[in-house]
Amino acid sequence: MAKSPEEEHPQKAFGWAAKDSSGLLSPFHFSRRETGDGDVTIKILYCGICHSDLHNVKNEWGFTMYPVVPGHEIVGTVTKTGKNVKKFKVGDRVGVGVLVDSCKRCESCQQDLENYCPQMVLTYNSYSQDGTKTFGGYSDIVVVDEHYVLRFPENLPPDAGAPLLCAGITVYSPMKYYGMTEPGKHLGVAGLGGLGHVAVKIGKAFGLKVTVISTSPKKEDEAINRLGADSFLVSSDPAKMKAAINTLDYIIDTVSAVHPLAPLISLLKLNGKLITVGLPEKPLELPIFPLVLGRKLVGGSDVGGIKETQEMLDFCAEHGIASDIELIKMGDINMAMERLAKSDVKYRFVIDVANSLSQ
């Protein structure tokens, strides 16, 4: 007979979990494995709320395994290390992102692209190599192999820096891989949410001219005066969209709802690149004619490996980049999920785990 989550492992843990597709989260007792020779045990201080957490608690992608404790934007303090751990010591401030294990042998792992490993273990809603389920950062502690733990720069705020562990690397990695970092080039950012607002900041730090593309005219002042974008384009305004045809070198599409790609492709110059990082729950229609006639590229990207994620954190620390957040208590998590579903947050909720998680 299978053990309950509370009895699987020796270390007692406590968090909030969704038990079914209603997505409602409630207090949940479970357990973490003992600190292994290569492991780090972390007391969780803050955890960001990613849009994928909302998809997962409601099983909108169809592969949620209940009960699910979400959270993969984790910042905390090391409380215990295994005897073989070299990178960290007790008291260090660290981060944990989207993945906590991989095979370490395949071509992807050998290229520091653990996030593309076929045996990658996600921080939550996944299975560890010992066959037990992973639970995420909406909880008090986590135990992680040191290879997948990140050094969190001292000059990054631990609360506003937490979302960088998913949102930051999700936009940084494709910008690096697809060569979208050449100073003076023109970047479009489609969608001004948790991913988009970080993309604006990282784009400006690379020296790009940045245009925000949004359906909401109300976001223009925020985009330009608060986040530093150079211009703003209302995608629902046909005249303005027509005037902007063939003006952008790159677009990073962060929109997670179903939306047309043709209007975005039309904004690209010859050889332009449209890179999608949002994850709509239904397929999008891709017109081929404009790709062929403009030698344009549509690509995708999924977070980044551990080495690149550390590089991104150091880059953000150097350039003073953090997320714009609304800090909440764990007891407000369901309200936050409701508001996130309506895009009613500027621009990322972060849970003050250490100061609000009481059993």
Side-chain angles (χ1 to χ4, degrees), residues 78-276:
V78 175
T79 58
K80 191 175 181 180
T81 60
K83 65 180 183 181
N84 296 334
V85 170
K86 301 286 195 299
K87 291 166 58 180
F88 304 102
K89 64 183 185 305
V90 171
D92 283 354
R93 191 166 71 173
V94 295
V96 178
V98 175
L99 65 152
V100 291
D101 205 357
S102 64
C103 77
K104 299 182 181 177
R105 300 180 302 276
C106 70
E107 187 175 359
S108 294
C109 287
Q110 293 301 310
Q111 294 177 18
D112 297 311
L113 295 170
E114 301 93 340
N115 54 308
Y116 296 111
C117 172
Q119 297 179 44
M120 173 185 64
V121 177
L122 297 171
T123 303
Y124 72 90
N125 197 44
S126 192
Y127 281 105
S128 300
Q129 291 185 12
D130 65 6
T132 59
K133 202 158 69 172
T134 59
F135 294 110
Y138 296 13
S139 58
D140 54 358
I141 63 167
V142 66
V143 181
V144 184
D145 179 329
E146 74 162 333
H147 178 77
Y148 305 90
V149 179
L150 298 141
R151 179 183 48 78
F152 202 83
E154 282 300 316
N155 59 330
L156 264 185
D159 50 1
L164 297 175
L165 292 158
C166 176
I169 188 59
T170 296
V171 296
Y172 182 89
S173 184
M175 291 174 76
K176 294 283 285 190
Y177 176 76
Y178 288 102
M180 300 160 64
T181 60
E182 188 179 337
K185 293 286 189 178
H186 197 165
L187 170 71
V189 176
L192 193 63
L195 295 177
H197 89 286
V198 176
V200 172
K201 295 181 180 187
I202 290 178
K204 292 303 295 180
F206 279 130
L208 301 171
K209 180 182 178 183
V210 177
T211 293
V212 169
I213 306 161
S214 174
T215 57
S216 174
K218 294 183 292 187
K219 292 185 175 180
E220 180 170 2
D221 180 67
E222 189 93 6
I224 293 174
N225 296 320
R226 179 171 170 179
L227 298 175
D230 297 283
S231 55
F232 187 86
L233 182 58
V234 181
S235 57
S236 54
D237 185 325
K240 290 183 178 177
M241 288 291 286
K242 185 176 180 180
I245 287 174
N246 298 328
T247 61
L248 302 178
D249 297 290
Y250 332 114
I251 296 174
I252 188 156
D253 182 1
T254 72
V255 178
S256 58
V258 174
H259 61 288
L261 294 178
L264 295 177
I265 293 170
S266 74
L267 301 176
L268 291 170
K269 298 176 182 178
L270 178 68
N271 301 324
K273 301 170 185 177
L274 169 64
I275 309 303
T276 61

Side-chain angles (χ1 to χ4, degrees), residues 34-91:
E34 194 54 78
T35 310
D37 290 347
D39 287 341
V40 174
T41 295
I42 301 161
K43 176 186 177 181
I44 297 173
L45 302 176
Y46 299 99
C47 186
I49 300 178
C50 178
H51 208 283
S52 60
D53 297 347
L54 178 62
H55 286 301
N56 272 298
V57 297
K58 292 180 174 290
N59 195 26
E60 291 176 345
W61 290 333
F63 47 75
T64 301
M65 301 176 290
Y66 296 105
V68 59
V69 176
H72 56 208
E73 300 177 344
I74 301 166
V75 175
T77 304
V78 175
T79 58
K80 191 175 181 180
T81 60
K83 65 180 183 181
N84 296 334
V85 170
K86 301 286 195 299
K87 291 166 58 180
F88 304 102
K89 64 183 185 305
V90 171

Side-chain angles (χ1 to χ4, degrees), residues 7-20:
E7 298 171 330
E8 278 181 331
H9 300 293
Q11 292 202 74
K12 299 301 180 187
F14 178 68
W16 279 52
K19 317 294 196 321
D20 55 48

